[in-house]
Amino acid sequence: MTTGTPQVLIDGLQYCNWSRAIFEEMRQGGLTAVHATVGYHEGFRETVRHLVDWRTRFRDNEDLILLARDAGDIERARASNRTAILLGLQNPMPIEDDIGLIEMLFDLGIRFMQLTYNNQSLLGCGWMEKEDSGVTRMGREAIAEMNRLGMIIDLSHAGERTALETIALSQRPVVVSHANPRWLRDSNRNVSKVLLQALRAKEGLLGLSLYPLHLPNGSDTTLEQFGKMAAEAAGIMGADHLGIGSDLCQDQPDSVVRWMREGRWTREIQATASFPPQPSWFRSNLDFPKLSQGLLSAGFAEAETALVLGGAWHRFLKASLPSAPGYAGNGQIGAR
Amino acid sequence: MTTGTPQVLIDGLQYCNWSRAIFEEMRQGGLTAVHATVGYHEGFRETVRHLVDWRTRFRDNEDLILLARDAGDIERARASNRTAILLGLQNPMPIEDDIGLIEMLFDLGIRFMQLTYNNQSLLGCGWMEKEDSGVTRMGREAIAEMNRLGMIIDLSHAGERTALETIALSQRPVVVSHANPRWLRDSNRNVSKVLLQALRAKEGLLGLSLYPLHLPNGSDTTLEQFGKMAAEAAGIMGADHLGIGSDLCQDQPDSVVRWMREGRWTREIQATASFPPQPSWFRSNLDFPKLSQGLLSAGFAEAETALVLGGAWHRFLKASLPSAPGYAGNGQIGAR
């Protein structure tokens, strides 16, 4: 980094093959908080099993990470030089067709949920369907329930109509945790100007993705090109509603790409069956602070850089997450 | 009641057909707290569905009841003239064979769990098996996990050997939430002197049952006979380790007795297939304060009566339940 370290670094999405080595890199990279994906196509019971695994990770690595249930936990992480982990779902499969499971999963620590993942879901439509029929009847209920609880609605992987309708319906600001401006990389997985304008008008946040297929020049995208892309996004969102959602999938075997794409809903191979190479300048949490170079080179002021690398996410999370000050460390209520 | 109302009335076990009418009676009876059974033979997913139903009850009746996650919630209930509901399981089926589910259920509000219900379980042996082989390998793990979390171990319905071994293994005091002295009603469902002595030696608590099949003279047991029975129990436990666990099953259809006895584990009818009539002096929460008459007539001092009707449970719960002061009302974290 060429300038002073931003106080708060937050990554709005990762799905790594979690290990102590990765948590150590989060600390070395100075990450204050990371939104970690718990699952994609798992039902309720399997998701709970993943949450049990997370509790074990929190206990085994309590010197490095803690479960963040609210903004106070993020402050506790800062004060104790640890990384706060916010848990989220990239698909609403875990709630099955039971609206009550949203509250159950919230109580178990889930703080983000996407309404769709590529395909049509019970709640709305993903970007890969031919036709997006918008938010469903249950989708409206889920939006209201997530608003009630303070679970953050994530529109990554949603179809444009579903995303726009959700923004209009939600009583709270929503996010696109990991995507880039579509006009710089033409994929419906990325977000249009219209969508970004609607997101910003309702105080939402965009997390910029570092996943090669979302970047203007794929794996060969330079840090400067990333900075320019961020500047385009900031032109609509402002630096105070812009963050990073790296989509880092470190140490994952290629079978995980197939799991993401195919789940259990198809017998056919869906497109690329391997992870593309990361840009040379972003391969792990160690590289997170380097992003400031790209932003500064694109004309961001130092204070704006601090916002994009974590300040905007921090403000958003403080405003969005209900307070649960009684939780003790590592997501263990009343640990003794 | 012949004397002043005890400050704290607590019932250590009920499994009513829950309704607003019953919650209103809890208030009219002056119940500070009630331990409510969530289920018997249900697996994890079905139990979570019951917990969702409880959340709905808490919201629909928030003027009468609240979910108690810790002792502070009991104080909140007192301060707002409501009844604190502590949720529990009479069988460990909901944890399946997954030790991690104990923590998940704790987070969702479960504060009591029996290790067995009549039959052999994965954790230990119930009182109706011919042979009690004691606490199992997983049972030891579950005891340690419940101790770690602060989930209260309930030995009602356990076999004697399993109960004695659990008392010896547990690092925290345990309870028999609803049973009576066996020497006054000869059923292995009731508790022996040896068991009560072991329970008391480890600071455990006995909740006296009002279920006719546990009472000295069945449905015809008088309030005075109940008082004498309580005095016998107090001779071992002391009034400060003695409470009520009425086992009230108000408004339940007889099919529920069959569910309790037979679950899904048999095709045969198991014993009586209907609820016996309650004693005339204990038919609902309205009758709870009347119990003081029976206790006073048996020679309990007024302060001792107050202990048995709630003071002892209150002390036990304050000492046992980990503090979670950040929870907002009705079990809804951060309700706004």
Side-chain angles (χ1 to χ4, degrees):
Chain A
M1 288 175 51
T2 55
T3 59
T5 306
Q7 283 197 298
V8 175
L9 301 181
I10 297 180
D11 193 342
L13 197 116
Q14 296 188 9
Y15 184 64
C16 298
N17 189 358
W18 311 109
S19 64
R20 184 164 176 86
I22 285 174
F23 301 138
E24 282 169 343
E25 289 179 355
M26 285 181 181
R27 292 316 309 142
Q28 290 163 39
L31 273 293
T32 308
V34 171
H35 166 206
T37 291
V38 171
Y40 292 83
H41 306 284
E42 295 88 340
F44 180 71
R45 181 63 184 87
E46 278 183 286
T47 300
V48 170
R49 222 312 127 182
H50 290 333
L51 292 171
V52 168
D53 290 339
W54 266 109
R55 298 299 174 98
T56 303
R57 282 185 202 112
F58 288 123
R59 278 193 282 277
D60 290 350
N61 303 282
E62 64 181 359
D63 54 325
L64 300 173
I65 58 172
L66 56 80
L67 172 61
R69 293 185 187 258
D70 66 9
D73 288 332
I74 298 174
E75 301 316 307
R76 286 199 309 115
R78 289 181 73 188
S80 54
N81 290 310
R82 292 185 286 174
T83 299
I85 305 290
L86 295 134
L87 299 177
L89 304 169
Q90 290 208 32
N91 208 358
M93 294 303 158
I95 70 168
E96 304 174 357
D97 61 348
D98 185 344
I99 196 78
L101 292 186
I102 298 177
E103 186 172 4
M104 298 293 104
L105 289 164
F106 186 89
D107 270 23
L108 295 177
I110 296 292
R111 289 297 178 272
F112 288 84
M113 186 171 76
Q114 288 177 199
L115 301 189
T116 66
Y117 182 77
N118 300 347
N119 290 5
Q120 175 72 44
S121 75
L122 296 184
L123 308 183
C125 199
W127 73 276
M128 292 182 87
E129 296 285 359
K130 279 191 182 154
E131 188 163 333
D132 178 354
S133 52
V135 174
T136 65
R137 298 175 73 210
M138 185 178 173
R140 285 174 174 263
E141 301 299 320
I143 290 166
E145 181 73 353
M146 292 173 76
N147 283 171
R148 183 179 75 80
L149 293 165
M151 188 184 285
I152 298 167
I153 296 170
D154 186 352
L155 294 172
S156 308
H157 294 267
E160 174 122 340
R161 180 175 165 189
T162 290
L164 289 169
E165 289 183 12
T166 301
I167 291 167
L169 286 164
S170 178
Q171 300 295 311
R172 291 176 182 249
V174 304
V175 303
V176 177
S177 70
H178 58 303
N180 291 329
R182 192 182 295 172
W183 61 98
L184 300 175
R185 169 85 186 207
D186 189 18
S187 159
N188 286 336
R189 172 63 184 81
N190 276 334
V191 283
S192 72
K193 279 185 185 171
V194 168
L195 178 57
L196 285 184
Q197 284 158 350
L199 188 69
R200 177 63 187 84
K202 297 287 284 289
E203 300 293 335
L205 187 146
L206 171 70
L208 295 166
S209 170
L210 277 302
Y211 192 68
L213 301 186
H214 308 157
L215 288 169
N217 199 24
S219 298
D220 298 325
T221 303
T222 64
L223 185 51
E224 289 65 35
Q225 286 171 320
F226 170 78
K228 283 179 186 166
M229 180 187 78
E232 292 254 359
I236 296 175
M237 301 301 291
D240 55 343
H241 289 74
L242 192 62
I244 305 295
S246 72
D247 211 1
L248 186 67
C249 295
Q250 196 179 337
D251 298 345
Q252 293 283 24
D254 286 338
S255 58
V256 166
V257 174
R258 293 198 58 187
W259 168 245
M260 292 173 178
R261 300 282 176 81
E262 298 160 25
R264 301 180 184 109
W265 62 270
T266 176
R267 298 195 188 280
E268 304 298 326
I269 292 178
Q270 303 290 310
T272 322
S274 61
F275 282 106
Q278 282 292 122
S280 60
W281 42 272
F282 194 85
R283 288 180 169 157
S284 78
N285 283 281
L286 296 175
D287 293 330
F288 198 92
K290 285 188 200 164
L291 298 177
S292 64
Q293 292 171 29
L295 297 172
L296 292 167
S297 75
F300 284 84
E302 215 168 293
E304 292 170 328
T305 299
L307 283 169
V308 176
L309 293 194
W313 264 122
H314 196 207
R315 177 200 57 74
F316 186 91
L317 293 170
K318 283 192 283 192
S320 298
L321 296 176
S323 175
Y327 284 107
N330 291 325
Q332 163 131 15
I333 299 163
R336 287 184 170 181
Chain B
M1 288 174 48
T2 55
T3 59
T5 307
Q7 282 197 298
V8 175
L9 300 181
I10 298 181
D11 193 342
L13 197 115
Q14 295 189 9
Y15 184 63
C16 298
N17 191 357
W18 310 109
S19 65
R20 184 164 176 87
I22 286 174
F23 301 139
E24 283 168 343
E25 289 180 354
M26 285 180 182
R27 293 315 308 141
Q28 290 164 39
L31 273 293
T32 308
V34 171
H35 166 205
T37 292
V38 171
Y40 292 83
H41 307 284
E42 296 88 339
F44 180 73
R45 180 64 184 86
E46 277 183 288
T47 299
V48 169
R49 221 313 126 182
H50 291 333
L51 291 171
V52 168
D53 290 340
W54 266 110
R55 298 301 174 96
T56 302
R57 284 186 200 110
F58 288 122
R59 276 193 285 275
D60 289 351
N61 303 283
E62 62 181 359
D63 54 326
L64 301 174
I65 56 171
L66 56 79
L67 171 61
R69 293 184 188 259
D70 66 11
D73 289 331
I74 298 173
E75 301 316 307
R76 286 198 310 115
R78 291 182 72 189
S80 56
N81 291 312
R82 292 184 286 174
T83 300
I85 305 289
L86 294 135
L87 299 177
L89 304 169
Q90 289 207 35
N91 208 357
M93 293 304 157
I95 70 168
E96 302 173 359
D97 62 348
D98 185 345
I99 195 78
L101 292 185
I102 299 177
E103 186 172 4
M104 299 292 103
L105 288 163
F106 186 90
D107 270 22
L108 294 176
I110 296 292
R111 289 296 177 271
F112 287 84
M113 187 170 76
Q114 289 177 198
L115 301 191
T116 67
Y117 182 78
N118 301 347
N119 290 5
Q120 174 72 43
S121 76
L122 296 185
L123 309 184
C125 198
W127 72 276
M128 293 183 86
E129 295 285 0
K130 281 191 184 154
E131 188 164 333
D132 178 353
S133 53
V135 175
T136 65
R137 298 175 72 208
M138 186 178 172
R140 287 172 173 263
E141 301 299 320
I143 290 167
E145 181 73 354
M146 291 173 78
N147 283 171
R148 183 179 76 79
L149 293 164
M151 188 184 285
I152 297 167
I153 296 170
D154 186 351
L155 293 174
S156 309
H157 294 267
E160 175 122 339
R161 178 174 166 189
T162 290
L164 289 170
E165 288 183 11
T166 301
I167 290 168
L169 286 164
S170 178
Q171 298 295 310
R172 291 176 182 249
V174 305
V175 303
V176 176
S177 71
H178 59 305
N180 291 330
R182 192 183 294 171
W183 61 99
L184 299 175
R185 169 85 185 207
D186 189 18
S187 159
N188 287 335
R189 173 64 183 80
N190 277 334
V191 283
S192 71
K193 280 187 185 171
V194 168
L195 179 57
L196 286 185
Q197 283 158 349
L199 188 68
R200 175 64 187 84
K202 297 285 286 285
E203 301 291 336
L205 187 144
L206 172 70
L208 294 167
S209 170
L210 278 302
Y211 191 69
L213 300 186
H214 306 159
L215 289 170
N217 199 23
S219 299
D220 297 327
T221 303
T222 65
L223 185 51
E224 289 66 34
Q225 286 171 320
F226 170 78
K228 283 178 188 166
M229 180 187 78
E232 292 254 0
I236 296 175
M237 301 301 291
D240 55 342
H241 290 73
L242 192 62
I244 305 294
S246 73
D247 211 1
L248 186 68
C249 295
Q250 195 180 338
D251 297 346
Q252 293 284 24
D254 286 339
S255 59
V256 166
V257 175
R258 294 198 58 185
W259 168 244
M260 291 172 178
R261 300 282 176 83
E262 299 161 25
R264 300 180 185 110
W265 63 271
T266 176
R267 298 196 187 280
E268 304 298 328
I269 292 179
Q270 303 290 309
T272 322
S274 62
F275 281 105
Q278 282 293 123
S280 60
W281 42 272
F282 194 85
R283 287 180 171 157
S284 77
N285 284 281
L286 296 174
D287 294 329
F288 198 91
K290 286 188 201 163
L291 298 178
S292 64
Q293 291 172 31
L295 297 173
L296 292 167
S297 74
F300 283 84
E302 215 169 290
E304 291 170 328
T305 298
L307 283 169
V308 175
L309 292 194
W313 264 122
H314 196 208
R315 176 201 56 75
F316 186 91
L317 294 169
K318 282 193 282 192
S320 298
L321 297 175
S323 175
Y327 283 106
N330 291 324
Q332 162 128 18
I333 298 163
R336 289 183 170 183

